[in-house]
Amino acid sequence: MAKIFCVANQKGGVGKTTTAVNLAAGLAQLDQRVLLVDLDPQGNATMGAGINKAELESSVYQVLLGMADIPAARKRSESGRFDVVPANRELAGAEVEMVELENREKRLKDAIDAVAGDYDFVLIDCPPALSMLTLNGLCAAHGVIIPMQCEYYALEGLSDLVNTIKKVHAKLNPELKIIGLLRVMFDPRMTLSQQVSAQLEQHFGDKVFKTIIPRNVRLAEAPSYGMPGVSFDPASKGAQAYIAFGAEMVQRIKSM
Ligand code: ATP
Ligand code: MG
C-alpha cells in the first residue's frame, strides 16, 4: 500500500512543486511506483511532468467533484516515469463547488485510497494557501513534507502551518504527521543560510531532513522542457540532491 505525502507550505514560491516533481522522478529512478497529484490550479507540477494542462479531458477537478476516478484522470509522465493526476485553472472553481458536497474534506482521500495498491508513494503538490484544496491534501496523507528556504523570514508562517496540521490531526486525520522540513534553494556561500539552517536543526532536530537541496539553475530550467530536473540533467547537483532525498524517503518509510 502506498505511503501518501503532501508537499505543503502556504508561502508561495518556496520550492513545493520543484520538490514534488523531482522527488517523484527520484523515487521512480529507485524503482518505486509513484503517483503525483497536482492539487494546484496553477498546474505547475502537471507542466513540469511534461503534461499539457491545456489538453486535459479530466483532471483532479473531476476527481474531487466525483465526475471521474483516478484511473480515468491519470496520465503518464514519460520523462519522469511516474503517473500524474493533472490540474489546470478549472480546479480554482472546485473550492466553491465543493462547499455543498458531503464529506468535502475527504474527497481526495477516498479517490486516492481506491488506487493506493497501485503505488509505493503518492505525492500531493499543494497550492500556496491553507485552503479547502490543501485541507483535502492533508486529510489524504500520512505525512507532510515542508520545503523551506533558509532565509530570514523562513520561520514566519511556519507556526500557522504547524497549527493547521495539528488541527487536522486532532479532528480529521489521526494518521497525519510532519515527516520533515526540507532545506531547499540552499546557498552555502551565504552566512545567513548557514545560520538559519543551524537554527532549524536546533529547533526541529531529526524533523529536519539530512538531505539539503542546493540552488541549482538546472532545476529551474527543466520545467520549460517539460521534464523533471532529475531526468533533464541527472548529473547536476540539484538532480543528485533530489535522488539522495528519494533514498532518504525510502529509508524513512521503513520506520513508519
Ligand atoms: P507556488 O507557491 O507558486 O506553488 P512553489 O512553492 O511550488 O511555488 P516552485 O514553483 O517549486 O515553488 O519554485 C519557485 C521558483 O524557484 C521556480 O521558478 C523554480 O524553478 C525555482 N526553484 C525551485 N527550487 C530551486 C532550486 N533548488 N534551485 C533553483 N531554482 C529553484
Ligand atoms: Mg507550486
Side-chain angles (χ1 to χ4, degrees):
M1 277 295 176
K3 286 288 175 200
I4 305 165
F5 301 105
C6 273
V7 181
N9 189 332
Q10 78 276 25
K11 273 199 184 197
V14 295
K16 292 179 289 295
T17 300
T18 304
T19 295
V21 169
N22 284 287
L23 177 59
L27 288 167
Q29 285 204 4
L30 299 168
D31 293 326
Q32 304 293 306
R33 299 166 303 160
V34 183
L35 175 68
L36 173 63
V37 179
D38 190 349
L39 204 50
D40 187 343
Q42 296 181 97
N44 292 343
T46 300
M47 297 297 281
I51 292 154
N52 188 350
K53 65 181 177 185
E55 288 175 0
L56 303 176
E57 273 155 39
S58 49
S59 67
V60 73
Y61 170 80
Q62 276 80 13
V63 170
L64 287 170
L65 292 181
M67 298 182 284
D69 56 11
I70 288 180
R74 69 185 159 195
K75 302 244 182 222
R76 185 74 178 165
S77 168
E78 298 299 341
S79 55
R81 292 198 278 132
F82 52 82
D83 287 350
V84 182
V85 180
N88 57 25
R89 291 300 319 161
E90 204 178 11
L91 179 60
E95 199 89 36
V96 175
E97 288 161 52
M98 276 173 13
V99 168
E100 291 166 12
L101 300 179
E102 236 174 275
N103 235 347
R104 59 181 183 271
E105 311 88 2
K106 302 211 170 149
R107 312 287 298 185
L108 185 65
K109 177 184 171 49
D110 293 343
I112 290 176
D113 284 351
V115 296
D118 296 352
Y119 300 101
D120 300 303
F121 284 88
V122 177
L123 303 176
I124 304 167
D125 184 30
C126 290
L130 295 173
S131 58
M132 180 55 68
L133 290 173
T134 297
L135 192 57
N136 260 268
L138 294 175
C139 284
H142 299 113
V144 189
I145 296 167
I146 307 174
M148 295 189 70
Q149 278 175 263
C150 291
E151 57 182 29
Y152 186 65
Y153 293 113
L155 295 172
E156 198 168 280
L158 187 61
S159 57
D160 292 336
L161 179 58
V162 171
N163 285 334
T164 301
I165 292 168
K166 278 187 186 154
K167 274 187 208 153
V168 174
H169 172 87
K171 299 211 171 108
L172 294 164
N173 178 9
E175 286 191 76
L176 187 69
K177 55 183 165 200
I178 295 176
I179 304 299
L181 304 174
L182 178 66
R183 291 164 284 182
V184 299
M185 297 189 230
F186 192 76
D187 184 351
R189 292 165 305 182
M190 278 178 63
T191 316
L192 181 64
S193 297
Q194 302 277 11
Q195 285 170 347
V196 174
S197 175
Q199 263 179 358
L200 284 178
E201 282 173 352
Q202 258 170 22
H203 284 287
F204 296 98
D206 60 8
K207 285 280 179 208
V208 182
F209 289 110
K210 290 201 177 58
T211 311
I212 298 179
I213 311 295
R215 187 173 283 284
N216 180 248
V217 69
R218 304 299 271 168
L219 291 172
E221 288 168 351
S224 62
Y225 296 87
M227 288 172 88
V230 161
S231 324
F232 175 61
D233 186 355
S236 65
K237 286 218 165 81
Q240 293 290 320
Y242 273 113
I243 291 167
F245 182 44
E248 189 175 354
M249 284 299 296
V250 170
Q251 281 304 316
R252 284 263 176 143
I253 65 163
K254 286 185 185 156
S255 55
M256 274 180 80

